[in-house]
Amino acid sequence: MNPSQISAPGLPGQPHVAYRNGSLHVEDLALADLAHEHGTPLFVYSKAAMLSALAAYQRGFAGRKALICYAMKANSSLAVLQVFARAGCGFDIVSGGELDRVLAAGGDPAKVIFSGVGKTCAEMRRALDVGIACFNVESEAELEVLSAVAVQAGKTARVSIRVNPNVDPKTHPYISTGLKGNKFGVAHERALLAYRRAASLPGLEVVGIDCHIGSQITQESPYLDAMDRVLDLVESIEMAGIPIHHIDFGGGLGIDYNGDTPPQADALWKQLLAKLDTRGFGDRQFMIEPGRSLVGNAGVCLTEVLYLKPGEQKNFCIIDAAMNDLPRPAMYQAFHQIVPLSPRNEDASVYDVVGPVCESGDWIGHDRQLAVQAGDHLAVLSAGAYCMSMASNYNTRARAAEVLVDGDKVHVIRARETIADLFRQEKLLP
Ligand code: LLP
């Protein structure tokens, strides 16, 4: 029987990841088979999960002028970009490198918006040359430099100013970006001044306004508050004679890592758009920059248990994935579920699940109930966003391979790095 015909409920937050006949699957494929064939650590993504996350946004925006710009920092692997480009998405980029990835994946530069506080002149020039949709300018100084670069190139840069609405997104401090103390955006109080300056500069054309208040947001209220603050500004900017054609509300919608209950994208956007209509801005073009919510729960990371190390105070389950592959726990004390690919019918013990990197911060999960033996395979869940794209080579560890599952087919989208790859650019002394 085709495994997809066996109905099995997906794991919480990851409907495309499910146990069937005692074995964990992504779409129609058994993860144990993928681990044996491709080795571990291995990132496995579900194409259907990505497209179904995107569909929720598309439903929310039905009948509106809207552009969904995937914030590719969440997962910038070329094949992942291809999935979203083919589905009609634009991209939110934060570097010249990300722009080159979009182009290499066949993305449309006319649907690219360029965010980030530290764009270089060379990056601006390249973005102008390929004709991106808009620069999301993050400071008054950047306006001056961008105008000069555009004039020199004989072009006009379309700009939106990222305003900082000073709203608390109620998330981890490292991933909250819309508060006064953050380095991002132009302060609400200075925004009108910055818009007047932008409108007067020869190399710029003001087209929009944007904000992004943080990431892994699980409540509606910060979005509604930020929207009110941004719309107040749109009113005053337009009163000053500067038309705002598009409004970009950034990304930030959270996912279910551990029983989290973020709003659904379609429901949230219906509510936000109703507010826009009420305030008389329903006719504008909308842009959004979702990252995590499109890919986070479309991916898992497979890993092998290397050793079990019982201790007086703690038992350790040492796996072959580490903080260089999965940096979120070490960086943000983030929680990822860890589950066996083939559960054992044995009593579980409590383990700290840790990697081989020589740092006490190299943990993937604390105090997890697991029935495991060395040689077993585990899946670290919700690993589609900000894992591979943040992976490093610390401890001279090669980065993992990545595969994309599409029904009963699997595509290797990134070969495992080799150790030779790691020091190819290095030179010995003469
Ligand atoms: N737009 C801008 C301007 C951003 O800075 C970000 C994320 C996004 C959009 C996408 O946000 P999302 O929809 O993914 O929440 N590494 C951290 C998250 C950093 C987010 C940085 N900015 C983590 O692993 O939790």
Side-chain angles (χ1 to χ4, degrees), residues 71 73 92 162 175 212 215 252 289 291-292 328 332 386 390:
K73 62 173 81 69
D92 171 51
R162 175 169 176 182
I175 51 177
H212 171 79
S215 200
E289 308 164 3
R292 186 193 318 267
R328 303 192 67 258
Y332 320 107
Y386 302 113
M390 290 174 63

Side-chain angles (χ1 to χ4, degrees), residues 230-252:
V230 169
L231 296 182
D232 292 347
L233 274 176
V234 176
E235 275 167 6
S236 48
I237 295 162
E238 293 199 328
M239 294 252 283
I242 305 168
I244 297 295
H245 303 290
H246 79 245
I247 308 178
D248 170 355
F249 285 103

Side-chain angles (χ1 to χ4, degrees), residues 48-60:
M50 291 179 196
L51 292 177
S52 104
L54 176 64
Y57 280 102
Q58 289 166 329
R59 282 194 301 276

Side-chain angles (χ1 to χ4, degrees), residues 204-430:
L204 307 185
E205 179 194 354
V206 171
V207 291
I209 190 166
D210 66 284
C211 76
H212 171 79
I213 55 174
S215 200
Q216 186 54 18
I217 301 169
T218 53
Q219 300 176 22
E220 290 164 1
S221 57
Y223 278 105
L224 290 161
D225 294 349
M227 179 169 277
D228 267 327
R229 304 268 296 160
V230 169
L231 296 182
D232 292 347
L233 274 176
V234 176
E235 275 167 6
S236 48
I237 295 162
E238 293 199 328
M239 294 252 283
I242 305 168
I244 297 295
H245 303 290
H246 79 245
I247 308 178
D248 170 355
F249 285 103
L253 184 57
I255 61 170
D256 178 5
Y257 284 103
N258 184 26
D260 307 291
T261 51
Q264 299 296 309
D266 46 355
L268 175 70
W269 276 100
K270 281 194 182 128
Q271 200 179 342
L272 289 170
L273 288 164
K275 187 184 212 22
L276 278 160
D277 288 340
T278 314
R279 290 201 52 178
F281 295 102
D283 59 337
R284 304 307 158 96
Q285 188 188 17
F286 303 109
M287 292 195 185
I288 48 160
E289 308 164 3
R292 186 193 318 267
S293 52
L294 292 181
V295 291
N297 269 337
V300 301
C301 180
L302 308 187
T303 174
E304 184 180 327
V305 177
L306 298 175
Y307 301 100
L308 296 180
K309 186 171 173 182
E312 237 170 69
Q313 292 190 352
K314 289 240 175 216
N315 299 318
F316 292 101
C317 170
I318 302 168
I319 59 175
D320 68 356
M323 65 188 287
N324 72 299
D325 306 295
L326 296 159
R328 303 192 67 258
M331 278 188 79
Y332 320 107
Q333 296 81 45
F335 184 96
H336 288 261
Q337 300 274 1
I338 303 171
V339 299
L341 299 195
S342 309
R344 290 173 172 277
N345 208 358
E346 292 167 12
D347 287 344
S349 302
V350 176
Y351 293 98
D352 272 11
V353 180
V354 300
V357 162
C358 297
E359 299 253 1
S360 296
D362 180 25
W363 58 276
I364 307 298
H366 283 141
D367 300 323
R368 302 302 174 89
Q369 290 266 357
L370 289 168
V372 276
Q373 299 292 336
D376 285 4
H377 285 114
L378 302 174
V380 179
L381 303 185
S382 310
Y386 302 113
C387 291
M388 191 58 178
S389 61
M390 290 174 63
S392 78
N393 295 119
Y394 188 39
N395 280 203
T396 303
R397 288 171 53 86
R399 283 178 303 166
E402 294 178 298
V403 300
L404 183 100
V405 173
D406 183 6
D408 59 2
K409 293 193 191 59
V410 62
H411 303 280
V412 176
I413 62 166
R414 184 195 298 258
R416 188 173 302 287
E417 232 167 13
T418 66
I419 299 304
D421 290 335
L422 301 192
F423 48 82
R424 181 156 295 136
Q425 303 293 344
E426 297 180 39
K427 300 266 184 290
L428 289 169
L429 295 172

